[in-house]
Amino acid sequence: MDSKTAINQFQEIKKLKGNMRLAGEKWSTDFQTLISTILSARTLDETTIKVCNVLFSKYPNANSLSKATLREIEKVIKPINFYKNKTKNIINCAKVVNKEYNGKIPVEYEKLIELPGVGGKTANVFLSEQGKKVIAVDTHVYYISRFLEWSKSKKPEQVEKDLEKIFPKNYWNKINPVLVKFGKKYTSRKEKNLILDKIKKIK
């Protein structure tokens, strides 16, 4: 796959994507961005945003969340999938951020993935919201990249590397939000594939 073709195809996806808000977007602080991103895994963005609005009205920062009890947080985030596990993760994450980073979220990948509940994808989604040149490969990015043959790998880590090779750096942090919004707009696999088939012919 050559870079020019991939860029042209990406631009077409960008025109067709929806404008819905993603879970990690438009929060007032980095802390809220990270916590909402942790909670959004395997959960609808709409659900995550609704729950986080309630959560952050009560626990807006690392200090306040670090002092919350498991029961208090479980009660708030119960609509979120795997809420019991995530409750432990976000409280522990808040404790580490509060103690080691004075309540401020680090913006280095290596430090982020050491935080409870933060894996590589979550770290990259967070960093892309900071304007950092990274590519977060979730299920939408993985599926579309393989469908359009931007990557032929079955490993998300390799898909990320393949995308880094064919897209200029200034595209990297735009890839995830654009492809995710496209994927969320066209929820029917049949409709999505029909559109992607047409996009695949763009050179």
Side-chain angles (χ1 to χ4, degrees):
M1 172 61 66
D2 66 281
S3 182
K4 185 184 175 185
T5 298
I7 289 170
N8 289 339
Q9 292 173 346
F10 175 79
Q11 295 295 359
E12 187 61 25
I13 291 173
K14 193 175 178 181
K15 288 179 196 171
L16 297 171
K17 72 172 176 61
N19 288 315
M20 67 287 290
R21 178 185 172 187
L22 301 181
E25 294 180 329
K26 300 179 182 176
W27 295 106
S28 57
T29 68
D30 290 351
F31 174 77
Q32 293 176 3
T33 299
L34 182 65
I35 296 300
S36 63
T37 304
I38 293 171
L39 294 179
S40 71
R42 303 280 193 88
T43 301
L44 290 172
D45 289 78
E46 308 88 86
T47 303
T48 306
I49 291 166
K50 191 175 179 181
V51 167
C52 283
N53 280 327
V54 177
L55 179 69
F56 299 146
S57 69
K58 297 180 179 182
Y59 311 98
N61 51 43
N63 185 46
S64 54
L65 185 58
S66 70
K67 294 173 182 174
T69 66
L70 288 172
R71 183 171 289 183
E72 285 170 340
I73 302 304
E74 283 180 358
K75 191 176 177 182
V76 175
I77 74 163
K78 198 170 183 180
I80 299 273
N81 288 330
F82 313 109
Y83 74 96
K84 285 183 179 283
N85 234 7
K86 289 179 181 178
T87 293
K88 293 174 188 172
N89 282 337
I90 65 171
I91 290 175
N92 288 332
C93 180
K95 286 178 178 176
V96 174
V97 169
N98 204 40
K99 186 179 177 182
E100 296 186 19
Y101 299 105
N102 296 315
K104 294 180 180 179
I105 306 296
V107 289
E108 295 84 19
Y109 179 87
E110 292 74 18
K111 290 181 180 177
L112 281 167
I113 58 172
E114 289 177 354
L115 296 174
V118 181
K121 187 191 81 175
T122 297
N124 277 347
V125 169
F126 173 79
L127 289 171
S128 69
E129 278 298 305
Q130 306 300 307
K132 303 292 184 184
K133 306 303 182 189
V134 295
I135 301 173
V137 177
D138 74 335
T139 52
H140 296 288
V141 176
Y142 177 84
Y143 181 81
I144 294 169
S145 297
R146 283 173 45 78
F147 192 103
L148 296 176
E149 296 180 358
W150 294 348
S151 174
K152 294 182 180 179
S153 177
K154 291 183 178 180
K155 296 179 179 178
E157 301 82 10
Q158 186 57 47
V159 172
E160 182 182 338
K161 288 177 183 175
D162 291 341
L163 294 176
E164 286 176 355
K165 288 176 187 173
I166 60 173
F167 283 96
K169 267 196 174 185
N170 59 315
Y171 279 83
W172 289 6
N173 64 340
K174 300 178 181 76
I175 290 171
N176 180 274
V178 168
L179 268 55
V180 170
K181 287 178 182 181
F182 175 86
K184 284 181 168 294
K185 182 178 178 181
Y186 302 101
T187 53
S188 158
R189 179 66 66 94
K190 186 178 179 182
E191 184 185 19
K192 189 183 296 177
N193 287 355
L194 280 170
I195 295 168
L196 288 174
D197 263 328
K198 291 178 182 176
I199 291 172
K200 198 172 184 178
K201 292 170 186 173
I202 295 172
K203 300 297 179 187

